[in-house]
Amino acid sequence: MSHPIVRWERVGEVAVVTVANPPVNTITAAVRVGMFDAVAAIRSDAAVRAVLVLCEGSTFFSGADIGEFSGPPKEAEYRDLFRQYEQLPVPVVFAMHGTVLGGGLEFSLAGHYRIASPGTRFALPEVTLGIFPGAGGTQRLPRLIGADKALEFILSARPVDVAGALAMGILDAEIPGELRAGALAYISSLLQSGKGPRRTCDRSIDPASATPEIFERLRASARKQYPNRNAALHAIEVVEHSLPMSFEDGLLYETEQANVAKVTDEARALIHVFFAERETRKVPDLPRDVAGRKVASAGVVGAGTMGGGIAICFANAGIPVTVLDTTREALERGLSVMGKTYDSMVKRGRITEADKATRMALITGSLAYEDLGQADVIIEAVFESLDLKQQIFRKLDVIAKPGAVLATNTSTLDIAEIAKVTQRPQDVIGMHFFSPANVMPLLEVIRTDHTSAEAVRTTLDLAKPLRKTPVLARVCYGFIGNRMMEGYAREAQRIVLEGATPRQVDTALETWGMAMGILAVFDMAGVDVGVNVHRANADRYPPDPTYYQADVALYEAGRLGQKTGKGYYRYLPGDRTRHDDPEALALLKAAATRLGITPIEHTDEEIVERCVYALINEGFRILEEGIAIRASDIDVVWAAGYGFPRYRGGPMFCAELIGLKTLHDGILKYRDRFGPMHWEPAPLLVQLVREGRSIAQWEQTRS
Ligand code: NAD
């Protein structure tokens, strides 16, 4: 008997249900139809003495179809489907492999026995999407392993391996070798030993695992792990509230609450970012038939901070990479830093010594440009100087093979100016990695007006093996991320000159949800970095004598941040803990007096508003100018590269949560206080407020 996605057949007395819904066996509507048909057929076959459910391909069910979340609720259908399998009168065995996630794991809990191949991983990641397991997870898991363990697993949202799953009690056995054959053997031994159905729903929750103290402890840890968020607390509430209920009533309560969770701002924002990250590789104006070129080898010019990190990304992807620098010392220093980076990965158990050796063997140092002649992509990461970069691109133009992508990691220079010194501007592109390049997931890809579709496609495709989230931008000063950072950090610096302490500013931003306060970020990156960029590009900034002057005050006193032990904060050697430093406050105060800035009191709300409104306002300009393809790409840049809280959806999604009118009026409020130089609402924001339209509506009608 067959169905396009779900097949079932009888093997002796065992009904075998096999699902094949590539690529990752998501439980789509079609899968559910097939699973309903299969269970109906099994029920009407009196010869069936056991049921085996398994999936083909790379993994067992990887979870529910998140694309359905925005449509009508499906929980009732899931509930019914899982119940039908659970209620079968014969043993039902789920045999799993790959990555068993969310709804996939919940489905298995409705089975009577669970077995898995070695290497299988299990997780309930729902709270990271602002929801909680709503397909029976809050009812079956506590019955199976206790309310405390169930909620700890739900709150952690992290995967466990087979050993962890066995220890936790969500798995009965590991099945080495071919899974289907091993599962049939397992079933035959079950039947021989007279084992029957064993339904999770018939168990009761161990009262010792569900005391008020336990729930209170879990709530405290949920508040700590997920500040400003409710999904984890909601999961605890559902388990606790449904304790006195029957299993059926508990399921109904779970469904009701799951439908509440799905439409919260938190869930909408997190699901938005989840999809936004999958959307960035789509470029509407690239011809559909353009294929990326194969990248089998790479070159990196400059073995410094960024060049070294970029080389590691290639080696981690298994792509051989040649790294070039000017002197043997510079090269050796670079290679030794790369080796140390790998050493620390070995030390933290992330990779083995053997992995390190394999990866280091893929990195070759060189002092000769000719050695880059066979590379499919060459990334330049030397000092930030247009002259120097142009010199290098002239050389690359001579030695690079035809069709090689020539990329620059510049943060501030005009890539078109770099491209124009070559005979092949169509192959020149920006690849803006973030520091540390081997860790940060964001990759801004910048095309000039001359970059070819093929070069764009090749670079976006290359992001995948490099494990980066690429976002395509057009050339402008600062691209997407740093351009938006300008106004955000400008306000933070201005606020400390107005008398707020660095700690007050950073704490306000962190409490709101930024991963790290911006002043602490400057201390980490080096206060000199910002000062040098602003000095080198002075003509690009507004004629405001107070502009970024907090940085300058510290810089001139030699306070360059963590590397000098002093910046906005004070640091003890080898320790990144921030200590308040009266000396920094005095320097900032003196600078403010010199600049004629009157001290004012700031509420945390004002700090957040001024920084975040300035940030979002620039996002509207970037969107309207077509620097970013879509608003959600801007959201990805800030969520993946700048620590913007994902649960606020990124700056543009957050603009809608704040309300465009509120945002617009807030900007006008600051224009009244501080003047129009920095506080003119972006034209697109003004237009949308006037027309009463959302960003999404504007994007739909934009030609
Ligand atoms: P760095 O000073 O750490 O490294 C630069 C390296 O380039 C040095 O090893 C130097 O010897 C080498 N070099 C100089 N001239 C060379 C030449 N002619 N040929 C070959 N090698 C040469 O600098 P970095 O921080 O790695 O920055 C490199 C680039 O990346 C800059 O354009 C910078 O703007 C950009 N960038 C830096 C960061 C960051 O946070 N550091 C982030 C994004 C982008």
Side-chain angles (χ1 to χ4, degrees):
M1 280 172 280
S2 72
H3 177 274
I5 295 177
V6 180
R7 303 191 314 273
W8 57 95
E9 63 191 317
R10 206 142 52 62
V11 178
E13 295 173 312
V14 182
V16 179
V17 180
T18 311
V19 183
N21 187 27
V24 289
N25 287 315
T26 306
I27 309 175
T28 53
V31 168
R32 298 195 297 273
V33 168
M35 294 303 284
F36 272 120
D37 288 352
V39 77
I42 291 164
R43 258 195 316 260
S44 64
D45 184 346
V48 170
R49 287 191 58 214
V51 177
L52 169 62
V53 177
L54 76 177
C55 294
E56 284 179 351
S58 62
T59 183
F60 186 72
F61 294 123
S62 64
D65 181 358
I66 297 171
E68 287 183 344
F69 284 11
S70 52
K74 296 284 185 300
E75 277 74 8
E77 193 186 324
Y78 275 88
R79 201 175 58 226
D80 183 27
L81 177 65
F82 294 5
R83 278 302 262 161
Q84 291 199 25
Y85 278 84
E86 188 167 50
Q87 289 304 326
L88 285 170
V90 294
V92 178
V93 177
F94 278 69
M96 300 176 270
H97 71 292
T99 313
V100 182
L101 293 176
L105 180 52
E106 289 177 281
F107 202 170
S108 79
L109 300 177
H112 305 158
Y113 299 87
R114 283 160 295 280
I115 56 181
S117 292
T120 309
R121 288 159 74 79
F122 307 83
L124 290 173
E126 281 86 347
V127 294
T128 64
L129 290 176
I131 53 179
F132 58 81
T138 68
Q139 303 304 307
R140 289 195 180 88
L141 197 55
R143 283 175 167 76
L144 200 58
I145 62 173
D148 50 356
K149 296 273 173 306
L151 282 167
E152 280 160 15
F153 187 53
I154 291 170
L155 262 53
S156 93
R158 302 182 74 84
V160 294
D161 59 12
V162 166
L166 286 167
M168 210 184 350
I170 58 174
L171 192 65
D172 297 301
E174 180 179 34
I175 304 292
E178 207 266 314
L179 183 59
R180 188 175 188 270
L184 287 170
Y186 178 85
I187 289 174
S188 117
S189 71
L190 276 183
L191 293 176
Q192 267 168 28
S193 53
K195 296 264 171 64
R198 195 186 57 167
R199 300 186 183 93
T200 312
C201 62
D202 293 339
R203 302 167 66 123
S204 52
I205 299 175
D206 174 5
S209 74
T211 63
E213 296 71 34
I214 286 173
F215 290 116
E216 213 30 69
R217 170 176 64 76
L218 289 165
R219 262 189 281 276
S221 79
R223 282 192 201 98
K224 194 154 167 239
Q225 196 185 348
Y226 301 102
N228 298 336
R229 299 176 53 175
N230 196 52
L233 290 168
H234 204 163
I236 299 168
E237 189 274 338
V238 170
V239 171
E240 188 174 22
H241 188 82
S242 57
L243 279 178
M245 296 181 188
S246 68
F247 178 74
E248 286 295 344
D249 286 348
L251 282 182
L252 289 174
Y253 182 68
E254 179 197 73
T255 295
E256 181 192 304
Q257 293 304 311
N259 287 324
V260 171
K262 260 192 322 202
V263 294
T264 56
D265 287 349
E266 174 183 336
R268 286 171 49 233
L270 287 162
I271 292 167
H272 163 78
V273 176
F274 177 88
F275 282 115
E277 286 181 334
R278 278 150 188 78
E279 185 92 356
T280 61
R281 286 186 179 81
K282 295 186 190 145
V283 185
D285 63 277
L286 286 195
R288 274 183 187 282
D289 54 355
V290 167
R293 300 178 200 135
K294 194 169 155 31
V295 176
S297 65
V300 173
V301 184
T305 310
M306 296 307 286
I310 295 167
I312 288 176
C313 291
F314 279 101
N316 289 350
I319 301 173
V321 56
T322 303
V323 186
L324 181 136
D325 211 301
T326 42
T327 62
R328 184 145 301 281
E329 291 98 291
L331 194 58
E332 271 164 14
R333 193 174 344 113
L335 290 169
S336 132
V337 172
M338 293 175 225
K340 284 189 185 128
T341 305
Y342 277 128
D343 284 340
S344 86
M345 287 165 75
V346 172
K347 215 160 130 195
R348 281 179 288 135
R350 303 275 301 278
I351 57 169
T352 61
E353 276 290 347
D355 294 332
K356 178 197 160 186
T358 315
R359 295 180 195 192
M360 279 305 283
L362 289 168
I363 304 177
T364 312
S366 166
L367 297 169
Y369 275 83
E370 290 65 36
D371 292 342
L372 305 180
Q374 287 314 304
D376 297 309
V377 56
I378 303 176
I379 302 174
E380 166 280 310
V382 303
F383 306 134
E384 189 76 341
S385 145
L386 183 60
D387 266 1
L388 178 61
K389 293 197 191 248
Q390 285 180 332
Q391 266 176 43
I392 286 169
F393 272 76
R394 280 193 196 95
K395 288 187 193 152
L396 295 179
D397 196 19
V398 174
I399 57 95
K401 72 178 188 188
V405 170
L406 305 183
T408 170
N409 185 44
T410 181
S411 307
T412 57
L413 301 171
D414 183 342
I415 295 163
E417 289 293 308
I418 298 174
K420 81 176 190 199
V421 303
T422 70
Q423 303 298 311
R424 40 173 130 180
Q426 73 279 2
D427 292 327
V428 177
I429 200 163
M431 285 179 82
H432 189 216
F433 290 81
F434 290 74
S435 185
N438 54 307
V439 175
M440 294 294 289
L442 179 62
L443 174 66
E444 282 183 319
V445 176
I446 304 103
R447 56 173 162 178
T448 72
D449 291 344
H450 299 290
T451 311
S452 70
E454 255 186 305
V456 170
R457 182 44 62 212
T458 305
T459 311
L460 292 175
D461 289 353
L462 175 60
K464 200 169 188 141
L466 297 184
R467 294 173 165 266
K468 299 294 164 200
T469 305
V471 174
L472 187 62
R474 289 197 181 274
V475 173
C476 69
Y477 183 65
F479 315 130
I480 297 173
N482 285 347
R483 179 169 157 185
M484 289 172 74
M485 168 80 107
E486 199 56 40
Y488 171 72
R490 173 199 76 218
E491 285 308 303
Q493 297 214 13
R494 168 81 199 201
I495 291 167
V496 286
L497 291 176
E498 289 164 1
T501 63
R503 186 171 299 278
Q504 190 187 349
V505 172
D506 282 346
T507 305
L509 293 171
E510 286 165 7
T511 305
W512 185 77
M514 297 302 296
M516 189 188 253
I518 186 66
L519 304 173
V521 170
F522 285 139
D523 271 0
M524 192 178 66
V527 172
D528 51 323
V529 175
V531 171
N532 290 334
V533 167
H534 284 97
R535 287 190 171 162
N537 298 278
D539 56 329
R540 294 181 182 273
Y541 299 108
D544 169 2
T546 71
Y547 200 74
Y548 277 77
Q549 289 302 306
D551 263 4
V552 172
L554 299 171
Y555 173 83
E556 288 182 341
R559 301 181 68 106
L560 307 186
Q562 288 184 13
K563 61 187 165 192
T564 56
K566 291 171 172 186
Y568 284 91
Y569 302 90
R570 192 167 44 77
Y571 302 88
L572 297 173
D575 182 358
R576 293 177 176 187
T577 312
R578 310 169 207 165
H579 299 276
D580 296 330
D581 188 355
E583 193 184 298
L585 300 186
L587 283 167
L588 294 168
K589 194 165 175 204
T593 311
R594 213 167 42 245
L595 294 163
I597 298 173
T598 320
I600 45 179
E601 291 275 319
H602 303 86
T603 61
D604 290 354
E605 191 189 358
E606 176 180 330
I607 293 169
V608 170
E609 270 189 17
R610 283 172 60 182
C611 294
V612 172
Y613 285 11
L615 170 78
I616 300 176
N617 200 30
E618 198 61 30
F620 277 98
R621 294 203 174 92
I622 285 171
L623 187 59
E624 187 171 23
E625 289 169 22
I627 300 294
I629 296 175
R630 47 180 88 81
S632 64
D633 281 3
I634 299 176
D635 291 335
V636 171
V637 165
W638 271 75
Y642 293 81
F644 194 96
R646 295 169 76 91
Y647 59 82
R648 297 193 194 273
M652 306 315 284
F653 190 89
C654 184
E656 298 283 8
L657 290 182
I658 293 167
L660 300 191
K661 174 93 171 76
T662 306
L663 174 67
H664 171 269
D665 293 353
I667 292 171
L668 291 185
K669 175 179 78 185
Y670 293 116
R671 186 178 70 179
D672 289 346
R673 274 178 66 192
F674 299 106
M677 189 187 293
H678 304 306
W679 287 107
E680 222 36 271
L684 177 59
L685 174 60
V686 175
Q687 178 196 334
L688 293 184
V689 170
R690 192 178 55 235
E691 294 171 355
R693 289 201 295 162
S694 66
I695 300 170
Q697 286 168 331
W698 176 79
E699 287 190 313
Q700 271 158 20
T701 55
R702 176 169 58 157
S703 58

